[in-house]
Amino acid sequence: MTDPSAASRPVQAVVLAGGQGSRLRPYTDDRPKPMVEIPGTGTPIIGHQLRWLAEEGVTDVVISCGHLADVLQKWLAGADLPVRVTTVVEEEPLGRGGGLKYAAAQLPHPDLPWYATNGDIWTRFSLRDMADFHTERDAVATLALARPRIPWGAVQTDGFGHITDFIEAPPSTFEINAGVYVFSPAFAGLLPTRGDHERTTFPHLARQRRLAGFPLPQGAYWRAIDTAKDLTEAAKELAAQGR
């Protein structure tokens, strides 16, 4: 039986892979951040992302390159990719919003919705469910929301100031932008040609109640790979999960 919601789920995506990854040095001295390999996996971050997108029904991906773009393009040319990939390179920095707009112009289906993800995100959850959530709320843009673990131990206290418990690396009480998105076709036209959409387009949509937030499902894996410690932690977590 055909799923009627499948028609509104994206089959195209943009991956933002142009950052310099300065906090991941020396790993990023000779490669862009998405080309860094999580130890023990044998595959760079971008490889995991493309496989995940393909598993979620994506057939076409535009990758926005910047820092050491030729290294990423060379790897893509020699890899057995599960999706069709196009790369674009910013000749000058356009900002996050401008870079997203520049890449979106190369999507094969400008009249259809699309996913986007930051190039340093390692995650697994149902993009199909997120796309359905986006459609049900008639949103122009939907952000995945994560609750990252605080990197310090926390304490619980009672009303009298007595410490009652210690909690190692608890989840944050606040949700954050997880760097994964669903966008309706109209979203590209709302992006700035240069600048940061999170300071312009997103607040504008939020005031109109056209910006939705999709909480990551309980137990879904998510990590932003920003530092060498993130690489080490990701390797441990993935090994424990048998991935």
Side-chain angles (χ1 to χ4, degrees):
M1 185 174 179
T2 302
D3 183 352
S5 59
S8 61
R9 294 171 185 160
V11 295
Q12 55 187 355
V14 168
V15 177
L16 296 173
Q20 293 196 6
S22 56
R23 291 197 294 165
L24 254 180
R25 288 176 177 161
Y27 296 99
T28 51
D29 284 344
D30 62 353
R31 69 197 63 195
K33 189 193 290 190
M35 280 300 299
V36 173
E37 179 186 324
I38 297 174
T41 68
T43 305
I45 297 169
I46 188 69
H48 292 288
Q49 290 184 322
L50 294 177
R51 187 168 61 197
W52 173 50
L53 290 170
E55 290 169 355
E56 293 295 323
V58 172
T59 58
D60 292 89
V61 176
V62 177
I63 300 178
S64 177
C65 308
H67 175 64
L68 297 174
D70 57 320
V71 177
L72 176 52
Q73 290 172 323
K74 183 177 180 180
W75 180 83
L76 291 168
D80 182 15
L81 303 175
V83 293
R84 289 183 291 270
V85 172
T86 302
T87 60
V88 296
V89 181
E90 296 179 32
E91 295 183 3
E92 58 183 69
L94 300 175
R96 289 188 295 179
L100 193 58
K101 184 169 189 168
Y102 182 62
Q106 298 302 314
L107 288 168
H109 309 290
D111 57 337
L112 296 179
W114 46 292
Y115 297 118
T117 181
N118 295 342
D120 59 357
I121 300 298
W122 210 119
T123 187
R124 283 293 187 278
F125 65 92
S126 174
L127 285 174
R128 293 180 174 91
D129 287 350
M130 185 177 173
D132 294 346
F133 179 96
H134 170 84
T135 300
E136 289 164 3
R137 282 147 187 82
D138 193 28
V140 174
T142 296
L143 289 62
L145 303 178
R147 290 186 185 272
R149 290 194 171 276
I150 299 171
W152 308 283
V155 296
Q156 284 187 332
T157 59
D158 62 19
F160 295 98
H162 297 120
I163 293 176
T164 59
D165 200 2
F166 293 87
I167 306 172
E168 185 62 31
S172 168
T173 56
F174 293 98
E175 292 176 311
I176 67 163
N177 180 352
V180 181
Y181 312 91
V182 182
F183 296 134
S184 295
F187 181 75
L190 301 176
L191 286 166
T193 302
R194 188 183 302 271
D196 188 350
H197 61 294
E198 295 193 13
R199 296 178 181 273
T200 55
T201 310
F202 279 173
H204 173 71
L205 290 173
R207 288 191 293 270
Q208 295 182 331
R209 298 295 189 269
R210 304 298 301 279
L211 184 68
F214 175 78
L216 294 189
Q218 184 73 25
Y221 186 78
W222 179 89
R223 180 177 283 276
I225 309 297
D226 288 323
T227 66
K229 183 178 179 181
D230 290 325
L231 277 177
T232 302
E233 293 297 320
K236 291 178 182 177
E237 291 161 355
L238 296 174
Q241 295 175 18
R243 296 184 181 180

